Amino acid sequence: MTQPIDLSAALASFERIWSPRVVATVNDYDVRVAKTKGEHVWHVHNDTDEFFLVLDGQLRIALREEAGEREVVLDRGSLFVVPRGVFHKPSSPAGASVLVVEPSGTLSVGDEHDEVPDHVDVTVGHPLAGDAR
């Protein structure tokens, strides 16, 4: 990567929800952007944390922890790290744009997950269209 990335242009380059695009790689980590709307799927990443930053809209993340279930609400500009080994389910009733950081090759539905609905893309991230760079 030798040029700045315009995140607005990156997000405008695709329509599909829950289908992240890799905008940069830092060491062995992907920086991905995604559009969200509705519910993702309950899943867990056994060996890595997952970083979320809300660029626009609101993202909710339900968590299954030892003390029980809870939900965090992330408004624009908020970030949250889901610890490794914690089942979680992102959702966004009205839609949101998010930036996610996780190790390259990490599946969007984690290591274990519930049945994946058709609107959720099972991927390690798609390349970003060239015109967004």
Side-chain angles (χ1 to χ4, degrees):
M1 180 177 77
T2 60
Q3 296 297 319
I5 306 277
D6 180 332
L7 293 180
S8 296
L11 286 159
S13 72
F14 65 97
E15 292 297 321
R16 186 159 181 205
I17 61 169
W18 303 115
S19 183
R21 300 304 192 263
V22 178
V23 294
T25 301
V26 180
N27 297 316
D28 297 328
Y29 285 79
D30 285 343
V31 179
R32 304 172 184 174
V33 293
K35 294 179 179 181
T36 67
K37 189 167 185 178
E39 295 186 345
H40 196 268
V41 62
W42 279 106
H43 67 284
V44 64
H45 302 279
N46 292 324
D47 300 317
T48 185
D49 301 335
E50 188 171 16
F51 172 98
F52 291 88
L53 170 65
V54 177
L55 302 172
D56 191 38
Q58 184 183 78
L59 184 72
R60 297 171 173 271
I61 304 175
L63 304 160
R64 288 183 184 152
E65 300 171 311
E66 286 184 30
E69 285 191 17
R70 71 179 177 112
E71 182 178 72
V72 295
V73 178
L74 305 174
D75 292 314
R76 183 176 187 247
S78 297
L79 68 86
F80 184 76
V81 176
V82 176
R84 71 189 72 204
V86 174
F87 270 91
H88 57 288
K89 182 179 185 179
S91 66
S92 181
S97 297
V98 298
L99 183 141
V100 178
V101 179
E102 53 196 348
S104 299
T106 300
L107 274 176
S108 59
V109 294
D111 302 308
E112 300 172 46
H113 52 79
D114 287 349
E115 185 174 338
V116 179
D118 290 340
H119 68 274
V120 173
D121 189 7
V122 178
T123 181
V124 294
H126 298 284
L128 185 63
D131 59 354
R133 292 188 188 262

